[in-house]
Amino acid sequence: MSVPSLFTFTLILRQRRAAIWGPWAQRTQRLSLSWGPLLWAAGKRSSLDLVELSETELKEQFVRGDGPGGQATNKTSNCVVLKHVPSGIVVKCHQTRSVEKNRQIAREILQEKVDLFYKGEDSDVYREKKASEKKKQEKKRRAKENLERKKHLKEMLQLDRK
Amino acid sequence: MKCLTPSLLRRFWRLLPQYVSAGPSQSPNLSPKQSSLRQSCSARPGLLTAPDVVSYWQKVFEKNGIPEARESSEYIVSFVLGAKTFQSLDSEKLHAPLTAAQQEQIQQLSCKRLERMPVQYVLGEWDFQDLTLKMRPPVFIPRPETEDLVSLVVEEESRKCGVKNSAFPVAVPPPVILEIGCGSGAIALSLLRKIPQSRVLAVDKEEAAVDLTRENIHRLQLQDRIHVLHHNVSYGSAKHLLPWGPMDFIVSNPPYVFHEDMASLDAEILRYEDLDALDGGDDGMRVIKTILTLAPSLLKDSGSVFLEVDPRHPGMVEDWLRAHPDLLLTLHAVHKDFCGKPRFLHIQKQSK
């Protein structure tokens, strides 16, 4: 194949490839992702300052059985049992049908429990819970006050009519 | 083959007062066991809550030798109540009596489970990482181990991206990924979601798998960056796939069960799943070898192949690659699954 025709062929090939991928064929900068299966620390609760759990302190159990696993098994028990060895706290998670998600959620819950265990009232988890309880009580009190005020107003109006 | 016997069916209907016929026959003749089941119902007599029904079907499954009796029952009841798992059911749903329609639906689904149909096919859906995917026999059901295969690819892509960006602060092309044997589309769609801008070519030799993957793509509205091809990689060269390449990654969960192990698989698998998606031939390596043979002509330099395999395969693959140096592929790493078994291979194409 001569050089010019090879060049044309490559050009056609690249154009065809661009056509296959449609309008998204423009070269764009890739976003870098920092999450990986071993980076459990980055979770929903990054706003709270919690004790970090090291994987070496954790013991995980799955109901997967002793069999070969993988393709040879089709078990649906995705429950994850996670233990923090130093404190002895155990979390059982079967919130979702995905093992990976259950592992992640188990770690989040365990992290909160361990933080509470070691820090007690100093724990952000404890403080957040107290704050939300206080808010609830405030809301109830205000609702009660409103109700009383309306009742009082109603009574006043009825007296006026008489 | 065990199934719901007429007597069992009658016993079940008797527990639901709305189904008792308003005829001359009066209160059903309950055996002591049945009446104790009714007494244990937490709501008013005759009204059944989720835990009651789970308990009932668990016993039925156990009597009929259905594996994972409790889990199956929980998944079915949760599904009918709109939740993914029993543990995630809110307190209101847990204590509310089930409607007749709900009980009917549970019964229909449970009858399928009594035929050893896998729960994922019974429900017609299952979850894989963050995705809920449609499931349909005989298309292979994604296994939980495979979630980690996706994470490995994402990690490697992120690592490469970091290296490139530090060296050349210039726009780089989006990664191109080929998945061989896409099945329901679990791996392909997860990668699409987790690696923004990635392009995926998913191939499968079975039309049923191609159709199901396309359905899942449309359900998740991810059609822009993925193409599904009905193609058998075992037949012929890589020329059908070249127009989409060269690829940064080839990913696969190929059939890797040793042929001699096929007969001992559970009835759920043997009766309902496509056995071609499991049988890897005598040494379980037939399709693995095909993929590795194709890889060099499809991969970019330093491109990677990620495979899920049987725990016996890492050493076998390493030996095979050494015996085929012309392929210029090396076994870069072996990763374990969440049960500690060597499960994933990272093979790299050497750069010239």
Side-chain angles (χ1 to χ4, degrees), chain A residues 107-123:
Chain A
R107 276 158 177 76
E108 284 169 12
I109 298 173
L110 187 65
Q111 192 179 26
E112 287 183 8
K113 290 197 162 173
V114 169
D115 192 78
L116 212 61
F117 179 79
Y118 284 125
K119 291 189 190 164
E121 289 187 2
D122 284 335
S123 159

Side-chain angles (χ1 to χ4, degrees), chain A residues 78 94-98 102, chain B residues 50-51 54 71-95 98 102 105-106 109 119 122-127 132:
Chain A
N78 291 332
H94 197 194
Q95 288 285 316
T96 77
R97 298 187 299 207
S98 153
N102 286 340
Chain B
V54 164
E71 288 84 348
S72 302
S73 186
E74 284 182 349
Y75 280 127
I76 288 170
V77 173
S78 307
F79 175 78
V80 168
L81 295 178
K84 297 285 174 101
T85 67
F86 203 64
Q87 199 191 63
S88 70
L89 272 174
D90 62 49
S91 160
E92 197 187 315
K93 285 192 175 148
L94 213 54
H95 296 111
L98 299 184
Q102 285 170 333
Q105 195 185 357
I106 290 168
L109 296 176
V119 169
V122 169
L123 304 183
E125 65 172 44
W126 200 244
D127 295 341
T132 299

Side-chain angles (χ1 to χ4, degrees), chain B residues 41-243:
Chain B
C41 293
S42 39
R44 281 179 10 234
L47 285 177
L48 300 168
T49 62
D52 299 327
V53 177
V54 164
S55 188
Y56 175 78
W57 283 107
Q58 179 186 341
K59 291 192 178 78
V60 172
F61 291 152
E62 279 165 359
K63 272 210 176 72
N64 284 276
I66 307 297
E68 297 195 303
R70 186 177 54 83
E71 288 84 348
S72 302
S73 186
E74 284 182 349
Y75 280 127
I76 288 170
V77 173
S78 307
F79 175 78
V80 168
L81 295 178
K84 297 285 174 101
T85 67
F86 203 64
Q87 199 191 63
S88 70
L89 272 174
D90 62 49
S91 160
E92 197 187 315
K93 285 192 175 148
L94 213 54
H95 296 111
L98 299 184
T99 67
Q102 285 170 333
Q103 291 179 65
E104 164 106 32
Q105 195 185 357
I106 290 168
Q107 201 233 342
Q108 277 174 13
L109 296 176
S110 298
C111 278
K112 289 185 181 170
R113 184 69 189 113
L114 279 166
E115 303 289 317
R116 302 295 294 266
M117 183 182 271
V119 169
Q120 299 93 332
Y121 288 154
V122 169
L123 304 183
E125 65 172 44
W126 200 244
D127 295 341
F128 186 81
Q129 294 196 324
D130 296 327
L131 309 173
T132 299
L133 300 167
K134 202 166 175 183
M135 295 285 133
R136 189 165 55 225
V139 181
F140 181 78
I141 296 165
R143 308 302 199 238
E145 284 89 344
T146 314
E147 290 182 327
D148 280 341
L149 178 65
V150 171
S151 300
L152 285 171
V153 179
V154 171
E155 226 179 56
E156 176 63 12
E157 161 60 16
S158 156
R159 194 194 61 82
K160 274 166 82 172
C161 200
V163 167
K164 279 223 172 85
N165 274 347
S166 60
F168 305 103
V170 155
V172 281
V176 179
I177 305 171
L178 167 64
E179 188 197 348
I180 296 177
C182 55
S184 57
I187 298 173
L189 293 170
S190 280
L191 287 171
L192 262 190
R193 268 270 182 97
K194 296 213 154 174
I195 307 178
Q197 314 304 318
S198 60
R199 304 286 185 271
V200 177
L201 174 65
V203 312
D204 204 292
K205 73 174 181 65
E206 290 301 328
E207 200 154 351
V210 168
D211 289 343
L212 186 60
T213 297
R214 287 193 179 133
E215 274 181 63
N216 279 321
I217 289 169
H218 284 282
R219 251 167 73 117
L220 299 169
Q221 295 284 293
L222 286 170
Q223 46 268 61
D224 298 325
R225 297 182 282 126
I226 180 168
H227 192 88
V228 190
L229 199 62
H230 181 203
H231 176 71
N232 191 338
V233 294
S234 296
Y235 298 150
S237 62
K239 67 170 194 266
H240 288 103
L241 309 176
L242 275 172

Side-chain angles (χ1 to χ4, degrees), chain A residues 69-116:
Chain A
Q71 287 175 358
T73 317
N74 183 25
K75 298 289 182 204
T76 57
S77 23
N78 291 332
C79 189
V80 174
V81 181
L82 190 62
K83 180 176 182 176
H84 181 243
V85 181
S87 64
I89 297 173
V90 179
V91 162
K92 198 169 162 188
C93 179
H94 197 194
Q95 288 285 316
T96 77
R97 298 187 299 207
S98 153
V99 167
E100 200 187 67
K101 293 210 79 173
N102 286 340
R103 294 179 79 190
Q104 188 181 1
I105 295 169
R107 276 158 177 76
E108 284 169 12
I109 298 173
L110 187 65
Q111 192 179 26
E112 287 183 8
K113 290 197 162 173
V114 169
D115 192 78
L116 212 61

